Amino acid sequence: MIDHSGFSLADVPLAADRTVGFRFVSSFGAVFEAADGTWVLSSAEAVQFAQRHPELFSSAGATQAGSGIPIPLIPVAVDPPAHLKYRRVLDPMFAPRVVNAIEGDLRAQVRDLVSAFADDGECDAIRDVARLFPTQVFLTFFGIRLADRDQLIDWVETMLDYSTGVGTAEASPEVVAAATGLFFYVQGYIDEKRADPGDDVLSRVLALDGDEAWSNEEVLGFTFLLTLAGLDTVAAAIGFVLLRLAQDAELRRRVIADPALTAAVIEETLRLEPPAPWVTRVTTEDVTVCGSLIPAGSSVILSLATANREPGTYAHPDEVDVMQADRGHVTFGGGIHRCLGSHLARRELRLVVEEFHRLIPDYEVAPAYRPEVRWPAGTLRLKTLPLVFPVSGTQS
Amino acid sequence: MMRIVIDETRCSGNGRCYTLEPALFTDDDRGYGQVIGDGLIAEDKFDAASRAVVACPEDAISINDDEPVTGSGRGDP
């Protein structure tokens, strides 16, 4: 039995190697109490139990973006039955058939981004693709001017760089400044769409009337959350997928020879490198999980990252193995709060890999590059991913 | 014959079933999984259906023996 009295999420050694970091978390047990009184659920069984019992593990009050701005993050910080009201409206807007309809447009956007450096022999895949594409997709989806892309990225990255993504610690001045900027931007955009609706997600939410109508605060919380959730997480995942393929030439060649493997590599990378490795809940009553009693009112961390590496579930829990990709993962969460944008995110990832390989099939990480992530942070992501590749000279 | 069943109280719209086995499952307008037709499958589709059972993160899919209801007093399985 390890003495877990000293456990603190901020001290988990994640920066250089996530396998080391996540194994460190699991080593404290399936369910344990951290030094600050927070409880951690690290096993798949414990995480799944919490996901399937939202009446015991409440999201209301458990989830803040560390913004310091007290607005309800809709729908992640909402419990049943109100939660269903939001998801009934939102699920169809983010369903696969909606993503199918815009796939051609999204593919053209990522193709343009890759074309811009395909003849250069080098790129920073984070700066040149991963940061830009998900933000552009978000702007397309929400009907926001593409010209605002870089300002939005700056606010979101600042907020996530200076927060832990879990708990409700007081926000730093940098975060408050960025959050305030984003807050007023989002409010201005809502006012604009109210006056001049378009064919986008926000206009459709604003068009709800009668009992279904959302208050301004609800719309604000929803838009604010989607900005935070949709930009940085997909950017992070793109970075990890391209890193994996850049480091493993054999895997990359297999994917290029058999593009059907693309989805399997993406799923395995999502499993091993979840951009949001944990989510938070608050217990509504005393509850026993895997033999441990968690008192009512406790802050609980659902460690998705360690549930994804359950030794009994995967033949190779810490490695990419396309043969085990069907076993799945909880990187997009589970239960009623399953990530609203999961279908869109998966499509974005596939389009990036397909279009990258179409123009740049052979690439590797730049010499001496160390793929480190910043931790603690709101999202696990690579800061840079310098790639080098041969230039054919025949590309038009 | 066997019958594929999705427990709608468990499905949360992950979409793994219709992504991996589009011949057996489809998506509804919320992106939730639906069994195509009546869900009855012949033995040669059992492996494909089992793949979806394993892939579903909510354990919402099951494959049940489907014997015709004859009114002979046989109880529910």
Side-chain angles (χ1 to χ4, degrees):
Chain A
M1 192 72 185
I2 297 168
D3 174 17
H4 51 68
S5 59
F7 181 86
S8 162
L9 215 49
D11 298 334
V12 176
L14 282 171
D17 188 333
R18 263 68 63 207
T19 294
V20 171
F22 296 143
R23 284 271 156 255
F24 175 77
V25 176
S26 295
S27 72
F28 288 88
V31 178
F32 62 92
E33 188 178 2
D36 65 356
T38 300
W39 286 78
V40 180
L41 310 183
S42 83
S43 72
E45 185 188 350
V47 166
Q48 208 164 50
F49 180 80
Q51 288 173 333
R52 292 178 185 180
H53 292 281
E55 76 284 3
L56 300 174
F57 294 85
S58 167
S59 293
T63 305
Q64 282 194 8
S67 68
I69 292 181
I71 53 171
L73 293 174
I74 289 169
V76 299
V78 183
D79 288 329
H83 177 263
L84 186 59
K85 166 190 130 177
Y86 297 116
R87 289 298 290 248
R88 279 227 170 95
V89 171
L90 297 172
D91 280 337
M93 298 184 192
F94 292 83
R97 51 185 73 177
V98 173
V99 181
N100 293 344
I102 59 168
E103 177 170 323
D105 181 18
L106 302 190
R107 186 183 291 280
Q109 289 195 32
V110 71
R111 184 174 295 180
D112 284 350
L113 290 173
V114 176
S115 298
F117 56 77
D119 293 330
D120 295 349
E122 59 178 19
C123 72
D124 178 345
I126 302 298
R127 181 194 63 203
D128 300 333
V129 183
R131 291 174 76 230
L132 306 183
F133 182 51
T135 306
Q136 291 185 190
V137 173
F138 173 82
L139 296 174
T140 305
F141 225 70
F142 262 61
I144 310 179
R145 291 170 296 274
L146 227 51
D148 296 336
R149 182 186 71 189
D150 295 346
Q151 174 65 72
L152 267 176
I153 292 173
D154 186 52
W155 281 326
V156 171
E157 288 190 349
T158 301
M159 289 178 65
L160 293 168
D161 273 352
Y162 292 91
S163 72
T164 62
V166 293
T168 52
E170 208 162 296
S172 71
E174 294 91 340
V175 171
V176 172
T180 306
L182 179 60
F183 180 86
F184 282 107
Y185 176 85
V186 167
Q187 183 65 64
Y189 166 63
I190 290 169
D191 295 340
E192 201 176 297
K193 283 289 165 189
R194 219 184 271 282
D196 183 17
D199 180 28
D200 52 69
V201 166
L202 186 53
S203 295
R204 274 175 276 161
V205 168
L206 290 169
L208 298 168
D209 56 12
D211 289 347
E212 287 199 317
W214 293 22
S215 70
N216 182 66
E217 194 188 42
E218 289 174 306
V219 179
L220 194 55
F222 167 65
T223 312
F224 198 79
L225 168 69
L226 282 221
T227 313
L228 286 174
L231 272 55
D232 211 57
T233 50
V234 185
I238 291 171
F240 288 127
V241 169
L242 290 177
L243 171 67
R244 187 71 54 167
L245 289 163
Q247 286 178 322
D248 190 338
E250 169 62 24
L251 182 67
R252 189 174 65 250
R253 277 191 281 271
R254 286 177 66 195
V255 167
I256 288 170
D258 180 7
L261 288 178
T262 305
V265 172
I266 289 169
E267 292 306 316
E268 278 289 275
T269 308
L270 286 168
R271 181 177 72 79
L272 293 173
E273 301 273 20
W278 15 73
V279 294
T280 51
R281 299 287 187 269
V282 174
T283 48
T284 58
E285 54 186 83
D286 290 358
V287 52
T288 301
V289 186
C290 300
S292 296
L293 175 71
I294 303 177
S298 299
S299 285
V300 180
I301 289 166
L302 278 57
S303 176
L304 310 176
T306 50
N308 282 349
R309 292 167 180 248
E310 192 74 32
T313 305
Y314 307 96
H316 304 103
D318 296 320
E319 292 162 37
V320 166
D321 176 357
V322 294
M323 298 304 291
Q324 64 190 9
D326 285 359
R327 301 299 312 216
H329 54 76
V330 288
T331 293
F332 291 114
I336 62 167
H337 290 285
R338 187 266 311 163
C339 173
L340 178 64
S342 64
H343 306 294
L344 184 58
R346 284 183 158 119
R347 197 70 56 95
E348 290 179 58
L349 287 163
R350 180 162 63 72
L351 293 174
V352 166
V353 172
E354 287 175 359
E355 291 304 312
F356 203 92
H357 285 176
R358 205 177 59 82
L359 290 175
I360 307 170
D362 188 20
Y363 53 97
E364 56 189 48
V365 295
Y369 168 69
R370 288 156 55 112
E372 295 208 336
V373 302
R374 183 188 181 117
W375 180 254
T379 315
L380 293 183
R381 66 184 153 86
L382 302 168
K383 298 292 276 184
T384 64
L385 178 52
L387 300 177
V388 292
F389 45 86
V391 179
S392 73
T394 57
Q395 280 150 1
S396 54
Chain B
M1 294 286 272
M2 314 281 266
R3 188 189 292 273
I4 317 170
V5 178
I6 295 180
D7 180 345
E8 290 179 10
T9 65
R10 286 195 154 193
C11 175
S12 67
N14 288 274
R16 302 321 293 151
C17 56
Y18 56 79
T19 301
L20 294 173
E21 296 298 339
L24 299 177
F25 301 90
T26 188
D27 57 319
D28 69 9
D29 66 350
R30 288 178 69 197
Y32 283 52
Q34 301 279 308
V35 173
I36 291 177
D38 56 12
L40 283 173
I41 53 165
E43 207 158 309
D44 63 338
K45 294 285 189 293
F46 183 77
D47 285 353
S50 300
R51 186 182 183 207
V53 170
V54 168
C56 178
E58 312 294 348
D59 299 325
I61 306 173
S62 54
I63 307 170
N64 305 325
D65 285 325
D66 189 84
E67 291 170 30
V69 178
T70 59
S72 65
R74 185 180 146 267
D76 286 333

